[in-house]
Amino acid sequence: MAAEHRITGARLVGRYTLLGIVAFLTLFPIYTTLVAAFKPGDKVLVNPLVPDSFTLEPIMNAWSDGNLGRYLFNSFVVAMIVTIAQVATSLLSGYAFAMLDFPGRTVLFVAFLATLLVPIEATLVVNRRTVDGLDWLNTYQGLAVPFLATAFGTFLVRQALMAVPGELRDAARIDGAGHLAFLRYVALPVIVPTVGALALFSFLSSWNQYLWPNLITTEESMNTVQSGLTLLRRSSIDEPNALMAGTVIAAVPIFVALLLFQRSLVRGLTSGAVKG
Amino acid sequence: MTNRVFERRRWRQLPVALALLAPSAIILGAFIVYPLVKAVFLGTERCNSTGTRCIEGGWDQYADTFRSTEFQHALWVTTQFALVTVPLGLAFGIGLAVLAHKHLSGVGVFRAIFSSTVATSVAVASLMWLFLLQPSVGVLSNIGWIADAFPVIKQPGLLNDPGTALWSVALSSVWANLGFTFIIITAGLQGIPDDLYEAAALDGAGGTRRFWKITLPLLGPSLLFVLIVLTTRAFQAYGEIDLLTEGGPRPDDSTTTITYLTYGRNSIMATDQGLQATTAVLLFVVLLGLSFLQLWSLGRRVHYGD
């Protein structure tokens, strides 16, 4: 056991105290939100830190009046479309870059990666015109179609497939498997962790989109959770319990999803950071 | 001869490859490459509110916009925002990761807590902070002793005072990014072998020295990644500003960043797609320059192991 790992006595107490203080500060905004979301309106600002009364009314109201049920549904539909499509398009293009040798491969791959340098904010002015021109304002396709592919996913899948031994490919070819059959039955099972991480990452990015749904949604019923919160902020700023109830409803699905898929999330987030 | 066989096989694979690449290429082309190129040209035009009628304004429009008071102000606000959120984000991320890294019992609970803000979207995080900071219906202004100790919290409110608005938004942003930063740096720490510390300890290196000589250098790649992501996020900040201050307080526009200047509902550009395209392209150029600068100046000094 190295000296490094032996912290004792006063230093141990100090370390736990410090951890406790920082943990308290980190959770503070979440705590005050939860307290307010379950308090009746006249009690919210009296002792805002003390959960001295409990009611589900703000949650019910945010769900029905704030229309959050509908927004959650919209967000879910869009995020599912984006996730499935991003996984599919990334598998196909990642496969092409990793497993096939063709003229122009390097140039095309660099071109794909270059799209990652473009901040989404630089494209939305024109994308809004495009979507408007297609008559896709206030539609699911307007919300989803611009994000059906990602160079990040292509890169992840390519990296994972590069690790698949060439002998597997050759063996499958001798058995008469075409490209799609090989991808589906041989390569995919090997890279399931990568695909899982990509799927979670895609879902989260889509779900958390803020600017785009705000730009192309004018009909109240087509808001996503995020742009719905923008509406709620404007309508309910004087009813903090309603506002915080809406915030809780919007946050819960992702908290639950991340609890379930923590491992995938860490893998997805760090795959961008490790050396390729 | 084998060369020719390989060459022929490469060409034979081309159609399949193109077919597999087509779905991605079409989407990336239509919604990233085309809009960027189109925005460069649109940026030379002045348009009406719906973008249906545009008149040529010439390439000067880029220089004019860049030099305009509004853009310069937004660039300065954005730079300040980045200068606060990026170093603070890095410092907190490193501090928390080191603090929670030790082989302490129960450290998993703290790790879960520090990672938790990764689950909050920008809208969720911003509304939580709005409720904390709002001067009349907010938490802090309704806790007697805090409001008494810091009168600015109640009058005019941290988000309404031109001197504190940007820092308050920055604080909410640092908090929202904490989970992400913590996760990346913790993963980086786990890649540092324990025996390095043990050897250093045997050589008599104290905790501080080990931190500067081992931890920080070996975290290099993770820190560079976090640095670039946080800088990019600072320059793209929109949701927190829309929800917390709407670019205000006015008339100073203390929190109008470049992105808010481009897309904000109250922005002076809100009805002119030509000008919006100009600032969008300028944002792209500024961000590209920054990323290359960071990679170029730090990338060579970062140690990637073997």
Side-chain angles (χ1 to χ4, degrees):
Chain A
M1 195 71 170
E4 174 70 13
H5 303 149
R6 260 199 327 253
I7 317 176
T8 45
R11 294 194 58 188
L12 193 67
V13 176
R15 162 102 26 161
Y16 275 117
T17 312
L18 202 53
L19 278 169
I21 293 173
V22 189
F24 170 79
L25 291 176
T26 308
L27 290 180
F28 188 68
I30 300 175
Y31 172 74
T32 53
T33 299
L34 286 173
V35 170
F38 296 101
K39 268 194 183 190
D42 54 339
K43 294 262 177 59
V44 175
L45 297 177
V46 192
N47 300 326
L49 296 185
V50 189
D52 48 12
S53 49
F54 180 87
T55 169
L56 284 175
E57 211 171 300
I59 299 280
M60 308 292 215
N61 288 345
W63 184 268
S64 52
D65 302 349
N67 215 355
L68 273 157
R70 171 76 198 195
Y71 304 156
L72 281 174
F73 176 76
N74 290 343
S75 279
F76 188 77
V77 170
V78 172
M80 280 312 281
I81 298 173
V82 167
T83 304
I84 292 168
Q86 284 197 355
V87 167
T89 55
S90 300
L91 278 174
L92 296 181
S93 51
Y95 177 87
F97 284 129
M99 295 290 187
L100 300 177
D101 187 16
F102 53 93
R105 183 174 68 169
T106 311
V107 176
L108 269 174
F109 186 57
V110 171
F112 263 59
L113 290 188
T115 63
L116 290 173
L117 292 171
V118 183
I120 177 175
E121 287 76 12
T123 60
L124 296 189
V125 178
V126 175
N127 281 349
R128 184 179 47 191
R129 282 164 66 110
T130 308
V131 162
D132 191 11
L134 291 165
D135 225 354
W136 282 0
L137 296 180
N138 300 306
T139 61
Y140 289 127
Q141 56 272 37
L143 288 164
V145 169
F147 309 103
L148 295 186
T150 150
F152 174 67
T154 304
F155 177 76
L156 278 189
V157 170
R158 172 187 178 267
Q159 295 305 96
L161 283 177
M162 300 279 265
V164 175
E167 289 85 7
L168 271 182
R169 177 75 199 100
D170 294 336
R173 207 191 2 249
I174 291 165
D175 287 347
H179 292 293
L180 288 179
F182 173 73
L183 181 59
R184 167 73 185 80
Y185 295 106
V186 184
L188 189 57
V190 182
I191 61 166
V192 159
T194 302
V195 173
L198 171 63
L200 187 66
F201 195 82
S202 304
F203 190 90
L204 275 183
S205 327
S206 172
W207 183 279
N208 288 341
Q209 288 253 353
Y210 182 83
L211 182 50
W212 180 243
N214 265 307
L215 279 180
I216 68 153
T217 308
T218 51
E219 268 171 35
E220 201 262 336
S221 66
M222 280 311 290
N223 278 289
T224 64
V225 166
Q226 315 299 336
S227 61
L229 286 181
T230 318
L231 292 186
L232 197 66
R233 185 238 190 270
R234 272 175 233 154
S235 61
S236 307
I237 183 62
D238 293 326
E239 304 163 70
N241 61 339
L243 194 58
M244 289 306 100
T247 306
V248 168
I249 295 176
V252 161
I254 296 301
F255 267 99
V256 173
L258 288 187
L259 277 180
L260 293 176
F261 301 111
Q262 218 170 10
R263 213 171 277 269
S264 282
L265 174 82
V266 172
R267 181 190 277 271
L269 285 177
T270 50
S271 53
V274 297
K275 49 193 172 183
Chain B
M1 186 204 105
T2 39
N3 258 344
R4 243 199 355 247
V5 173
F6 276 123
E7 195 53 30
R8 221 181 315 148
R9 194 175 141 194
R10 290 182 73 209
W11 281 101
R12 246 203 345 259
Q13 292 196 328
L14 185 62
V16 182
L18 291 182
L20 292 172
L21 290 175
S24 290
I26 289 169
I27 295 291
L28 296 178
F31 294 102
I32 294 181
V33 180
Y34 163 74
L36 186 67
V37 175
K38 175 77 183 166
V40 170
F41 291 100
L42 190 60
T44 66
E45 299 177 8
R46 301 295 302 265
C47 305
N48 64 352
S49 58
T50 47
T52 44
R53 261 208 321 276
C54 299
I55 47 166
E56 187 61 34
W59 293 98
D60 294 353
Q61 185 153 297
Y62 280 99
D64 292 344
T65 305
F66 189 80
R67 280 196 298 258
S68 68
T69 339
E70 289 82 4
F71 186 83
Q72 288 288 330
H73 175 72
L75 185 59
W76 173 231
V77 170
T78 313
T79 308
Q80 285 177 294
F81 188 73
L83 285 176
V84 175
T85 55
V86 177
L88 269 187
L90 274 171
F92 279 130
I94 298 171
L96 291 189
V98 170
L99 207 58
H101 179 55
K102 289 295 168 52
H103 305 222
L104 296 173
S105 51
V107 86
V109 176
F110 290 105
R111 283 199 179 158
I113 292 173
F114 298 151
S115 312
S116 65
T117 74
V118 82
T120 59
S121 70
V122 65
V124 165
S126 303
L127 289 183
M128 287 179 171
W129 281 80
L130 179 71
F131 179 47
L132 281 181
L133 302 176
Q134 218 280 338
S136 53
V137 297
V139 172
L140 294 184
S141 67
N142 283 286
I143 301 176
W145 63 272
I146 294 185
D148 291 342
F150 306 98
V152 59
I153 289 176
K154 203 148 184 96
Q155 192 55 250
L158 290 168
L159 295 170
N160 299 335
D161 185 302
T164 56
L166 189 63
W167 316 123
S168 308
V169 179
L171 198 62
S172 121
S173 188
V174 168
W175 181 83
N177 282 328
L178 192 65
F180 163 77
T181 325
F182 175 78
I183 289 173
I184 301 287
I185 298 178
T186 298
L189 278 180
Q190 277 160 355
I192 304 179
D194 273 348
D195 32 331
L196 274 182
Y197 289 108
E198 286 162 18
L202 283 180
D203 287 348
T208 323
R209 201 174 151 74
R210 291 199 296 262
F211 175 77
W212 289 103
K213 293 290 175 189
I214 300 173
T215 310
L216 265 196
L218 288 179
L219 275 181
S222 310
L223 295 184
L224 182 65
F225 176 72
V226 172
L227 174 75
I228 290 179
V229 172
L230 287 185
T231 310
T232 314
R233 284 193 187 175
F235 273 79
Q236 296 173 315
Y238 180 85
E240 51 268 66
I241 290 156
D242 190 30
L243 290 166
L244 287 172
T245 59
E246 298 194 308
R250 315 215 180 280
D252 303 26
D253 293 343
S254 319
T255 57
T256 298
T257 56
I258 301 180
T259 316
Y260 198 81
L261 180 69
T262 313
Y263 294 104
R265 265 179 315 126
N266 312 326
S267 164
I268 48 160
M269 290 184 182
T271 56
D272 188 323
Q273 294 190 4
L275 281 178
Q276 288 183 319
T278 316
T279 49
V281 171
L282 288 174
L283 174 75
F284 167 62
V285 173
V286 169
L287 260 181
L288 195 65
L290 269 177
S291 295
F292 275 120
L293 194 69
Q294 289 171 336
L295 278 175
W296 175 75
S297 62
L298 297 171
R300 287 174 307 176
R301 289 161 56 186
V302 165
H303 178 68
Y304 278 93
D306 40 28

